[in-house]
Amino acid sequence: MTLLGVNIDHVATIRNTRGNREPEPLQAALVAESAGADSIVCHLREDRRHITDRDVRMLTGMVQTSLQLEMALSPDIIKIALEVRPAEVMIVPERRQELTTERGFDAAREFDALKGAVQKFREAGIGVSVFVSAEMAQVEAAHKAGAETVELHTGPYSHAKTTAEAEAELDRLETAAHRGWELGLEVHAGHGLNYHNIERLVRQIPVEKVNIGHAIISRAVFSGLENAVRDMKALVASAS
Ligand code: PXP
């Protein structure tokens, strides 16, 4: 069955608009877990626009499922990750001007840096996932660098304007997922997934996990986080 990882970055985004202590990302993580989230995801960005070092330390100490720390391959973030030891890191590319992670990590081009970092994380007992676009070469490079997991970038599927485009993107994702499985990787998917497009994805491509943030936190504004996580979990479970 496909598992659900809940990204809580946007709870921190709201908190940071007022610079105080609410809403608290840790509380969001605990509520999400009690509503059925299988893991919690947060992204410690170099500009600390949402999740802060304090959040990461608190989350690592309190999350009971598993914490996945999304991060760029930058020396100070690698240092923090090795210190706090989340269950898993997810390597993403980062650009200051972007609103959210826009593209997959170029595992083929940045192979040496990736391989070096993967080795450090694995020696520290931290799992490594690499967020890549749905391309064979990227999946293969992530595997060759020593990662155990790839997260396939579902942005192009999520943003498809027509059914034909969405189907073409699903086929690309499926081909990349199969290559990952052939290589013995765990395959996750994420970016732009929501209550309308999740079932189709999971039905066609039974990935081990989907990571979802914006749609869940947005629905939580109206229905509460617990209901928002439960609703998504039910959709993922029924489709997989
Ligand atoms: N996976 C990765 C690698 C991401 O960068 C993000 C966005 O933080 C997500 C999944 C979740 O995307 P969304 O917020 O669109 O659900």
Side-chain angles (χ1 to χ4, degrees), residues 7 9-10 43 70 90 92 100-101 131 151 190-193 211-215:
N7 180 310
D9 290 348
H10 292 315
H43 185 172
E70 208 179 310
M90 185 196 339
V92 296
T100 180
T101 311
F131 181 60
E151 177 170 318
H191 213 281
L193 297 174
N211 284 325
I212 306 180
H214 189 264

Side-chain angles (χ1 to χ4, degrees), residues 106-163:
D106 194 338
R109 209 160 135 193
E110 302 196 39
F111 181 77
D112 291 339
L114 178 63
K115 190 173 173 199
V118 170
Q119 195 175 339
K120 281 190 199 147
F121 287 129
R122 293 196 61 173
E123 278 166 15
I126 301 168
V128 183
S129 173
V130 186
F131 181 60
V132 294
S133 58
E135 292 165 26
M136 300 270 229
Q138 294 295 342
V139 172
E140 286 163 4
H143 170 256
K144 201 166 159 206
E148 303 114 316
T149 304
V150 284
E151 177 170 318
L152 299 177
H153 190 347
T154 51
Y157 162 66
S158 301
H159 302 135
K161 298 259 181 321
T162 63
T163 307

